[in-house]
Amino acid sequence: MAVTIRDVAKLAGVSRSTVSRVINAKGEVDPQTAAKVWQAVKELEYHPNTSARALVRQRTDTIGLMLPDVTNPFYEKIIKGIEATTNAAGFNLTFYNTYEDLAGRRRMILSAIEGGKVDGLIIVGSHLGDKSTLLEMIARGLPISLIERSFSDPSIPCVVSDNKTGARLAVEHLLSLGHRRIGFITGNLHYQTAIERLEGYKETLSQHGIPIEDELIAFGDFEHKSGYEAMRQLLALPMPPTAVFASNDMMAIGAIQAIGEAGLSVPNDVAVVGYDDITFASMVHPQLTTIRQPLYEMGALAAQGLIERLKNGLETEPFKKFLPVELVVRKSCGA
Amino acid sequence: MAVTIRDVAKLAGVSRSTVSRVINAKGEVDPQTAAKVWQAVKELEYHPNTSARALVRQRTDTIGLMLPDVTNPFYEKIIKGIEATTNAAGFNLTFYNTYEDLAGRRRMILSAIEGGKVDGLIIVGSHLGDKSTLLEMIARGLPISLIERSFSDPSIPCVVSDNKTGARLAVEHLLSLGHRRIGFITGNLHYQTAIERLEGYKETLSQHGIPIEDELIAFGDFEHKSGYEAMRQLLALPMPPTAVFASNDMMAIGAIQAIGEAGLSVPNDVAVVGYDDITFASMVHPQLTTIRQPLYEMGALAAQGLIERLKNGLETEPFKKFLPVELVVRKSCGA
DNA sequence: CTGTTAGCGCCTTCAT
DNA sequence: ATGAAGGCGCTAACAG
């Protein structure tokens, strides 16, 4: 059996409540007794039982992070930002991979929070079809923070970045380099970010008096493979684009592969811009010109907001953060 | 307050123990009452409290996965293999990022298991300096499974792959392509895998009558950046290698970047072989020739072994798995 | 400053 | 087939 608080109490010659006071630094305790208790704790290598503690405290001090897939490189910086913040605040972090399973989402959220597995939840990048579930959860008062998904409803805490401006920066960069036939690879259009970036692309072209050609818009789903395929499609056009803006870096990397396989080179034959600035963007050759989202900061802010809410209860004002993005010029455009 | 088993009992007009029997499918219960209970469960959206349940059952049905950094792409396939297996067996999975913090490792393990956060632990790729901690934990009888780290002690369950043969396959492939000056980029030599791959490189060259030249061995640490820097160093040699074998794919990708920046091309000027076959290996351009470790399977096996141990107690025989690797020929060697 | 007491929500004998 | 009672390990009033 594992060592319990009774064992520590016995060894230290005090009551269980005193041990509890000492290890939780609550209430006044004679320094002498405290020392004896710590001594016993060390000697027995006592570790308070997490379940027992959570049960009586009615909180777990852990936050859940729900996203499609932890192992997707896109989430790296968001995760690091969240992790740093939760760690600093003394919270544990546990991951929930949804694998896009819309049907299971509602149950997952409920079982996580209502089942007392976590005190609150951070949800990243949810599908537009999740709308009603999300609204219901918020209406119930469940402590939830959203990243990359916003609602006009002011009661919903969320942090998003400026996707439209991001797309504009990308397109204008290519325009300034002299490109006029600029292809676009969409993300999965069931996601808010994908839609906003597409809108940004279209609006920017229009503003510069360039007609939008449907054949220059290829549909992807944010995955590497779809970027590769979309690029092949664009390359097969009678008049292929001289530049391509992909809705995320993974697809941009896929596009670069397709360009290379076609015997063409980046940026000489085709310029490529990505989106996100994931770690890999600067690791591939040529290094990717891209739009940087402040992913680490977004994670940190979402975590911070949730933690505040957890500490102060519902009286905390729900926050809405709208973060700026920036163009990062590297090698894939020949700039 | 969250709904508890009392609420369900009251609504269904039965006692709490009956509710417990129904939801856990234990003991005989009248189908009629069972139906009433399920009805109440649904109506109230009852979710059993995880802590209370864990406290009385003395188990959490969750397995911990301890690794340096979940967001490192190397772990993707291992994680997926573990996750699929634990899910299928009804276990939850929680991650522990160690960030190479040797000092904290012992405490993390103890607090996870002794604190009753997890029933058992899978530890991936631990530093050689962890030896005593690991041995101590095993000696205590803690349920732990190791991946990418083995001990001669038969009581320690571990799954590793054949690193020496992997290195041999890589070197022989380059040899067969006519290369004679083959550079090598080591991994972090505090890890078993790095040492074994270095040994494989040296032995293979010797067997083929090629002298080992120290200047052709550059030191890396498994990170992308170190591969880049090691390659620059090799390229600066009076007589640079015509081929390079990197101890993992991330460093190989870094090496390709350095080669490209030097105005040379892969595979025409320098051939490159990686190791691991992470997902990215086939996403970069040119696609990476590499040694495939059965990472998914390694994860699955480690999880399986741990779960068996958890179910059967200590009487389960500790397992040792030694898996084969294979050469995957793609584009980075010009084969 | 310290001990006693009473649960937290659930499962599990033991009766009935 | 069902209910009553006890306790998992811990914390938090309440006394003293």
Side-chain angles (χ1 to χ4, degrees):
Chain A
M1 292 307 301
V3 7
T4 76
I5 200 172
R6 308 182 82 100
D7 303 316
V8 178
K10 193 174 298 171
L11 182 60
V14 299
S15 75
R16 287 172 295 160
S17 29
T18 297
V19 174
S20 176
R21 274 184 209 106
V22 171
I23 63 179
N24 295 303
K26 271 195 178 167
E28 300 298 292
V29 163
D30 185 303
Q32 301 257 343
T33 7
K36 274 191 300 184
V37 169
W38 281 123
Q39 167 60 25
V41 165
K42 239 135 241 166
E43 206 169 315
L44 299 172
E45 293 210 85
Y46 168 64
H47 293 269
N49 182 287
T50 309
S51 301
R53 182 173 265 184
L55 184 56
V56 61
R57 286 188 179 165
Q58 297 286 71
R59 61 191 165 80
T60 59
D61 290 334
T62 105
I63 284 175
L65 173 56
M66 194 169 277
L67 33 63
D69 182 359
V70 227
T71 65
N72 185 319
F74 167 69
Y75 300 107
E76 179 196 348
K77 293 178 180 176
I78 292 184
I79 292 174
K80 295 245 166 81
I82 292 174
E83 197 179 32
T85 308
T86 52
N87 276 350
F91 281 83
N92 296 304
L93 185 63
T94 107
F95 297 87
Y96 293 88
N97 280 158
T98 62
Y99 292 119
E100 312 277 355
D101 173 16
L102 285 195
R105 185 79 55 93
R106 186 171 179 283
R107 199 183 23 200
M108 274 181 101
I109 298 176
L110 249 22
S111 112
I113 303 188
E114 300 285 352
K117 292 187 204 296
V118 301
D119 296 340
L121 222 38
I122 298 173
I123 299 179
V124 186
S126 67
H127 196 279
L128 292 179
D130 266 356
K131 184 173 177 183
S132 61
T133 297
L134 252 21
L135 287 174
E136 181 201 345
M137 299 296 125
I138 303 282
R140 285 196 187 204
L142 301 188
I144 292 179
S145 243
L146 264 30
I147 294 181
E148 283 219 320
R149 177 82 150 92
S150 61
F151 286 99
S152 52
D153 184 330
S155 73
I156 301 179
C158 47
V159 8
V160 296
S161 73
D162 191 350
N163 289 294
K164 251 189 193 170
T165 299
R168 186 172 55 69
L169 292 175
V171 175
E172 285 180 346
H173 179 62
L174 292 170
L175 249 19
S176 77
L177 260 23
H179 294 282
R180 288 301 173 266
R181 279 188 75 72
I182 300 174
F184 181 69
I185 302 177
T186 74
N188 180 336
L189 293 171
H190 288 110
Y191 289 80
Q192 183 171 328
T193 51
I195 293 177
E196 292 172 356
R197 287 170 204 173
L198 172 58
E199 286 172 354
Y201 162 80
K202 287 182 171 175
E203 285 179 12
T204 308
L205 285 185
S206 299
Q207 283 163 12
H208 288 262
I210 296 179
I212 291 157
E213 300 185 36
D214 284 347
E215 61 174 25
L216 287 182
I217 298 178
F219 296 90
D221 62 5
F222 285 133
E223 298 299 318
H224 175 272
K225 194 180 170 196
S226 74
Y228 172 82
E229 284 164 359
M231 191 67 228
R232 281 171 61 102
Q233 192 179 315
L234 292 173
L235 252 19
L237 251 30
M239 235 172 85
T242 62
V244 167
F245 170 34
S247 292
N248 76 354
D249 290 340
M250 287 301 282
M251 293 194 299
I253 292 170
I256 289 176
Q257 197 177 41
I259 295 167
E261 286 183 10
L264 302 171
S265 102
V266 177
N268 297 337
D269 300 308
V270 187
V272 176
V273 186
Y275 201 110
D276 288 341
D277 195 27
I278 61 175
T279 300
F280 257 103
S282 53
M283 291 183 170
V284 292
H285 183 77
Q287 293 184 75
L288 216 53
T289 287
T290 190
I291 304 299
R292 174 182 297 153
Q293 294 198 69
L295 297 169
Y296 183 96
E297 198 185 351
M298 289 166 71
L301 284 173
Q304 230 162 60
L306 183 60
I307 289 171
E308 238 158 74
R309 159 94 133 77
L310 255 21
K311 289 199 168 152
N312 306 334
L314 274 164
E315 65 226 42
T316 311
E317 197 141 330
F319 62 96
K320 294 213 180 275
K321 304 280 184 187
F322 186 67
L323 302 183
V325 298
E326 59 176 324
L327 171 72
V328 180
V329 177
R330 295 208 183 90
K331 308 293 185 184
S332 62
C333 291
Chain B
M1 290 305 306
V3 7
T4 76
I5 201 171
R6 307 183 84 99
D7 304 314
V8 178
K10 194 173 298 169
L11 181 60
V14 298
S15 74
R16 287 173 297 162
S17 18
T18 299
V19 175
S20 177
R21 273 184 208 107
V22 172
I23 62 178
N24 295 303
K26 271 195 177 167
E28 297 299 296
V29 72
D30 186 302
Q32 301 256 344
T33 22
K36 276 192 299 186
V37 169
W38 281 123
Q39 168 59 25
V41 165
K42 239 135 243 168
E43 206 170 314
L44 298 172
E45 294 209 84
Y46 168 63
H47 292 268
N49 182 287
T50 309
S51 300
R53 184 172 261 186
L55 183 56
V56 60
R57 287 188 176 164
Q58 297 286 70
R59 65 194 162 78
T60 58
D61 290 333
T62 104
I63 284 176
L65 173 55
M66 193 169 278
L67 31 64
D69 181 0
V70 228
T71 66
N72 185 320
F74 167 69
Y75 300 106
E76 179 197 348
K77 294 178 178 178
I78 292 183
I79 292 174
K80 295 243 165 80
I82 292 174
E83 198 179 31
T85 308
T86 52
N87 277 351
F91 281 83
N92 296 301
L93 185 63
T94 106
F95 296 87
Y96 293 87
N97 280 157
T98 62
Y99 292 120
E100 312 277 353
D101 172 18
L102 284 196
R105 184 76 56 94
R106 187 172 180 282
R107 199 183 24 202
M108 275 181 101
I109 298 175
L110 249 22
S111 111
I113 303 187
E114 301 284 353
K117 292 187 205 297
V118 301
D119 296 340
L121 223 38
I122 297 173
I123 300 178
V124 187
S126 67
H127 195 280
L128 292 179
D130 266 356
K131 184 173 177 182
S132 61
T133 296
L134 253 20
L135 287 174
E136 181 201 343
M137 298 296 126
I138 302 283
R140 283 196 188 205
L142 301 188
I144 291 177
S145 245
L146 265 29
I147 294 181
E148 283 219 318
R149 178 81 151 92
S150 62
F151 285 100
S152 52
D153 185 330
S155 74
I156 300 177
C158 47
V159 9
V160 295
S161 72
D162 191 350
N163 289 295
K164 250 189 192 169
T165 298
R168 185 170 56 69
L169 292 174
V171 174
E172 286 180 346
H173 179 62
L174 292 170
L175 249 17
S176 77
L177 261 24
H179 294 282
R180 287 301 173 269
R181 280 188 74 72
I182 301 174
F184 181 71
I185 302 178
T186 73
N188 180 334
L189 293 170
H190 288 109
Y191 289 80
Q192 184 171 327
T193 51
I195 293 177
E196 291 172 355
R197 289 170 202 173
L198 173 58
E199 285 172 354
Y201 162 81
K202 287 183 172 175
E203 285 179 12
T204 309
L205 285 185
S206 298
Q207 282 162 12
H208 287 261
I210 296 178
I212 291 156
E213 299 186 36
D214 284 347
E215 62 176 23
L216 287 182
I217 299 177
F219 295 90
D221 62 6
F222 285 132
E223 298 299 317
H224 176 271
K225 193 180 171 200
S226 74
Y228 172 84
E229 283 164 359
M231 190 68 228
R232 281 172 59 101
Q233 192 179 315
L234 291 174
L235 251 19
L237 251 29
M239 235 170 87
T242 62
V244 166
F245 170 34
S247 292
N248 75 355
D249 290 339
M250 288 301 283
M251 294 194 299
I253 292 169
I256 288 175
Q257 196 176 41
I259 294 166
E261 286 183 11
L264 302 171
S265 103
V266 177
N268 298 337
D269 299 308
V270 186
V272 175
V273 186
Y275 202 110
D276 287 341
D277 194 27
I278 60 175
T279 300
F280 258 104
S282 54
M283 292 185 170
V284 292
H285 182 79
Q287 294 185 72
L288 214 54
T289 287
T290 188
I291 303 299
R292 173 182 297 151
Q293 294 199 68
L295 297 170
Y296 183 95
E297 197 185 352
M298 288 166 72
L301 284 173
Q304 229 162 61
L306 182 60
I307 289 171
E308 239 158 75
R309 159 92 132 80
L310 253 22
K311 289 198 166 152
N312 305 334
L314 274 164
E315 65 227 41
T316 313
E317 198 141 326
F319 62 95
K320 294 211 178 277
K321 305 278 186 188
F322 185 67
L323 302 183
V325 298
E326 59 177 322
L327 172 71
V328 179
V329 177
R330 294 207 184 90
K331 309 291 186 185
S332 61
C333 291

